[in-house]
Amino acid sequence: MENVKEIIEKAWEDTSLRSTPETIQAIEYVVEQVDKGLLRTAQPNEDGSWTVNDWVKKAIVMYFPIRKMEVQEVGIFEFHDKMKLKTDYAGLGVRVVPPAVARYGAYLAKGVIMMPSYVNIGAFVDSGTMVDTWATVGSCAQIGKDVHLSGGVGIGGVLEPPQAAPVIIEDGAFIGSRCIVVEGAHIGKRAVLGAGVTITGSSKIIDVTGPEPVEYIGYVPENCVVIPGGYTKRFPAGDYNVPCALIIGKRKESTDLKTSLNAALRENNVAV
């Protein structure tokens, strides 16, 4: 694998190498390994931090130019694209409801359920996760086990720059309907996002459960229950309300992975 990494890094720096058989073979090998979940664009460490494998992301970026446009037919549907679609869902143990689409190069673990939704290349979706109707999982996003991405959720892709952290949704998180999580935002284990919460890499997430607010940037700690909020910010033209997210409580042990978002919010005395 170190030899493959070296080939990818050299081709990234020297574009003239990208058309050589050795480089093309290395790029295709990396994407195949990502598709199988044997390589990841980012991976967790034992201390809870994450490591971005930028060389893997570089291989994915270089994969696009070596692909040729082609027509693909799936039943009554026709597609015209450079990228292959993922196949053999039965063999993978993945349930896919028409017209859900996952690109080749996206990893779907056994037990994943895709309602009509979309998963892009480089993404990693772990076992038991539900990708609900019209939810999208962007390139290189890392989705943990037993996550629920509710209807219309938008998980952003972060393919370039290669060193940038992808969106991370850790095990057991519940992402409410129409939430947007983008720009390398990080959602901790078993966190609950209420409907319509937007989290970016620079978003303020304010814990208002104690006597003084505690502020996080682009990160929701584990077990937190989060709703949309706002704060007043002064501009040259005056004071205006700016959106943020509010941590209004902790997810209790009684709120297990099968409990609805409404129940999680009610436990924290929030009207739904």
Side-chain angles (χ1 to χ4, degrees):
M1 192 61 71
E2 284 300 317
N3 182 51
V4 172
K5 180 179 179 181
E6 184 179 352
I7 293 170
I8 296 298
E9 293 285 13
K10 285 182 178 179
W12 183 259
E13 296 299 326
D14 184 352
T15 57
S16 67
L17 298 175
R18 297 184 186 183
S19 59
T20 66
E22 181 184 50
T23 299
I24 292 173
Q25 184 178 20
I27 292 170
E28 291 179 338
Y29 175 78
V30 170
V31 175
E32 179 187 14
Q33 297 302 294
V34 173
D35 184 78
K36 294 178 178 178
L38 301 176
L39 270 179
R40 298 176 64 165
T41 55
Q43 61 194 47
N45 302 312
E46 291 184 1
D47 63 359
S49 64
W50 283 71
T51 297
V52 177
N53 295 319
D54 59 348
W55 70 276
V56 176
K57 295 175 73 175
K58 290 173 182 176
I60 293 172
V61 172
M62 292 189 293
Y63 184 63
F64 284 84
I66 68 173
R67 298 287 302 166
K68 294 182 179 180
M69 295 291 289
E70 59 181 22
V71 174
Q72 302 176 61
E73 293 185 356
V74 182
I76 63 172
F77 297 100
E78 180 181 293
F79 301 93
H80 186 221
D81 191 24
K82 290 185 172 186
M83 311 300 285
K84 296 186 292 184
L85 300 180
K86 202 167 180 69
T87 56
D88 191 29
Y89 291 118
L92 296 173
V94 175
R95 179 185 171 196
V96 180
V97 178
V101 173
R103 266 178 162 175
Y104 174 74
Y107 175 69
L108 304 176
K110 185 176 181 179
V112 167
I113 298 173
M114 285 184 63
M115 299 302 285
S117 55
Y118 181 76
V119 179
N120 207 349
I121 186 171
F124 184 100
V125 184
D126 217 335
S127 59
T129 286
M130 162 75 84
V131 185
D132 218 331
T133 305
W134 307 136
T136 57
V137 179
S139 56
C140 302
Q142 303 294 298
I143 312 296
K145 300 179 191 297
D146 301 312
V147 170
H148 190 116
L149 303 178
S150 301
V153 163
I155 304 299
V158 184
L159 191 53
E160 295 187 85
Q163 69 272 19
V167 174
I168 298 168
I169 311 290
E170 299 212 47
D171 297 353
F174 192 115
I175 312 300
S177 180
R178 299 301 191 268
C179 284
I180 298 172
V181 186
V182 295
E183 296 177 8
H186 186 167
I187 310 301
K189 293 179 180 178
R190 292 176 52 84
V192 175
L193 303 190
V197 171
T198 296
I199 306 285
T200 73
S202 58
S203 290
K204 284 189 178 184
I205 299 99
I206 306 172
D207 187 337
V208 295
T209 59
E212 296 292 334
V214 177
E215 187 176 303
Y216 302 89
I217 300 296
Y219 171 65
V220 175
E222 63 182 53
N223 291 312
C224 287
V225 178
V226 181
I227 62 171
Y231 65 98
T232 301
K233 184 174 181 179
R234 177 157 293 177
F235 295 93
D239 294 343
Y240 293 90
N241 190 56
V242 176
C244 68
L246 301 178
I247 297 172
I248 49 83
K250 293 285 189 177
R251 191 173 188 174
K252 299 177 182 177
E253 288 301 321
S254 59
T255 311
D256 63 24
L257 296 177
K258 296 182 180 179
T259 302
S260 71
L261 171 64
N262 285 357
L265 295 176
R266 287 192 186 102
E267 284 187 344
N268 290 280
N269 299 315
V270 175
V272 293

